[in-house]
Amino acid sequence: MPETTNQGWRLPTAKKYSNWSKAKLQEWINSPELSKYLVEAVDYQIDGNTLAIYQFQKEPLLGKYKSVIFDCQRGIVLCKSSSRSLINAFAQNNLLGGLEFQREFANRLEQKARYVIATGKRAYFSMHGYTTGDTDWVALHQMANFHSLGKSAIVFDTVMCNQLTYTFAFTDCTRYISAQVYRGLYYNHVLYKLGSNHLEASLGWQVRHTRGKSLLDQRAYFHPHPALTKLTLRDIYQDILDKSHARYGRYLASLLEQPLVQDDHHTVYILSRRPNTLF
C-alpha cells in the first residue's frame, strides 16, 4: 500500500516524480522507488480526490491496465476499467440527470463540443471530448493553472499542498485545447451561479460562497455571460423529461411499426402530467 505523504496526499514527494505524462508513466512504472505508491483497484470510483486519468485503452499498461488514475488519497491507481467506463459510472451514480443534463445544459450555452462534466464545485475535463470514446481526463477543481504547449498539448499544475505541486502534461489532444478549457471553466461557472440562484432565491438556502485556489475560483477565466433570469434548473430538467418521453414514443412507434403510436403516446403523456397545484 502507498504511504501517506503531503498532508494526506498519497503521492511521491521526490521532485523527480512531480511531473507526469503518459510517456513518463510508461517509463517509470517499474521503478522500485515508485512501487510503494502504486495500488491496483478493481472498483475505483471517481470522486473529489481524483486528480488526473491517463487512458491506455488501445495498449494497456503492463499488458492489462486500461487506465491509470492519480488520486490524492489512494496514490497512483492501476485500473483495468477504461476511462470511458469510469466516467459513465461516475455520471450514473453521482450526477442528477446524468450526462443528459450535461449535454442539455451545454446546448443552452450554445456549446456544441462536449469536453467538461461539471457540478459547479467540481469539474472534470477531457482532452478529446467525452463523446469520442476513451480519453485522458483532469480534475479542474484540483488544478491551479494551465498553459498550452502548442495547439494540441497542454500542462496543468495542481494546487499547492504542503509546499508541493504536481504537473500533468497531455499531448495529442484536440486542436486548440486551451480554448476548450476556457469554455469548460465558463460552463462550470454558469452552472454554479444557476444552482446558487435556485437554492437561494427559490428554496431560501444560504449558500456559502467559498473562494479557493483552483481554476474554478479564478475570475480571470470566466467569460462575461448574459443574465440568467430566463434560464432555470427546473426548466432544464423538465425539457430533459419531455425529450425522454418523446424518445420512448418514437421507440414504441418503431417497434410496433405504427407511426401514429408516437402521437398517441405524446397525448397520453401530456394528459398524465399533474398540474403544479396542491390538488
Side-chain angles (χ1 to χ4, degrees):
M1 293 293 292
E3 296 178 354
T4 301
T5 60
N6 203 10
Q7 288 188 352
W9 284 32
R10 299 189 177 189
L11 292 171
T13 56
K15 186 176 181 179
K16 173 183 177 180
Y17 296 118
S18 62
N19 301 302
W20 290 95
S21 67
K22 188 174 293 185
K24 288 182 177 179
L25 256 175
Q26 293 170 315
E27 177 184 351
W28 295 337
I29 192 64
N30 291 314
S31 172
E33 57 185 339
L34 193 64
S35 61
K36 61 183 178 181
Y37 299 101
L38 301 177
V39 59
E40 183 176 358
V42 296
D43 58 348
Y44 184 82
Q45 297 183 26
I46 293 172
D47 59 23
N49 293 316
T50 303
L51 292 173
I53 303 174
Y54 287 104
Q55 68 89 15
F56 294 89
Q57 173 70 12
K58 293 183 178 179
E59 297 182 10
L61 192 65
L62 300 179
K64 56 182 177 179
Y65 300 114
K66 297 180 181 179
S67 58
V68 177
I69 307 104
F70 285 80
D71 187 285
C72 296
Q73 298 298 319
R74 301 186 66 174
I76 302 174
V77 182
L78 309 177
C79 186
K80 294 181 180 179
S81 299
S82 66
S83 63
R84 186 175 188 176
S85 296
L86 294 172
I87 290 294
N88 284 337
F90 170 78
Q92 294 172 4
N93 297 330
N94 297 280
L95 298 180
L96 292 176
L99 290 178
E100 188 167 4
F101 172 84
Q102 299 287 319
R103 290 190 289 265
E104 182 65 25
F105 188 67
N107 289 338
R108 298 300 184 97
L109 299 184
E110 299 183 353
Q111 291 191 4
K112 296 181 179 180
R114 303 290 185 265
Y115 285 88
V116 67
I117 295 175
T119 67
K121 283 293 188 178
R122 296 175 183 173
Y124 302 90
F125 180 82
S126 59
M127 301 302 149
H128 279 280
Y130 60 79
T131 59
T132 61
D134 289 284
T135 179
D136 300 329
W137 290 80
V138 68
L140 296 179
H141 54 275
Q142 295 279 18
M143 302 298 138
N145 52 67
F146 70 94
H147 61 275
S148 63
L149 299 175
K151 294 181 180 179
S152 302
I154 194 167
V155 173
F156 292 87
D157 301 315
T158 66
V159 295
M160 183 171 290
C161 183
N162 195 25
Q163 304 304 312
L164 291 174
T165 61
Y166 298 86
T167 65
F168 295 98
F170 300 90
T171 58
D172 192 29
C173 305
T174 190
R175 285 174 62 82
Y176 306 107
I177 186 66
S178 292
Q180 296 299 345
V181 176
Y182 279 105
R183 293 188 183 98
L185 292 171
Y186 164 69
Y187 173 102
N188 182 79
H189 174 63
V190 177
L191 181 57
Y192 174 77
K193 294 293 292 183
L194 197 65
S196 298
N197 291 346
H198 178 76
L199 292 174
E200 292 177 331
S202 301
L203 302 179
W205 283 45
Q206 292 184 347
V207 179
R208 183 182 179 184
H209 298 273
T210 58
R211 295 287 175 83
K213 297 180 179 180
S214 78
L215 290 169
L216 303 190
D217 302 298
Q218 298 180 29
R219 293 183 175 274
Y221 294 118
F222 303 154
H223 297 279
H225 58 77
L228 302 177
T229 54
K230 296 183 179 180
L231 183 63
T232 67
L233 290 179
R234 183 184 180 281
D235 290 339
I236 294 174
Y237 279 111
Q238 185 61 59
D239 285 348
I240 291 174
L241 183 61
D242 291 345
K243 290 178 180 180
S244 177
H245 279 274
R247 284 198 302 271
Y248 182 64
R250 291 193 295 270
Y251 170 76
L252 283 179
S254 175
L255 179 67
L256 301 175
E257 298 182 351
Q258 296 289 334
L260 293 180
V261 169
Q262 183 173 341
D263 295 333
D264 294 339
H265 172 78
H266 178 70
T267 301
V268 172
Y269 170 59
I270 295 300
L271 294 175
S272 66
R273 287 174 54 181
R274 293 174 60 89
N276 293 321
T277 61
L278 290 176
F279 305 100

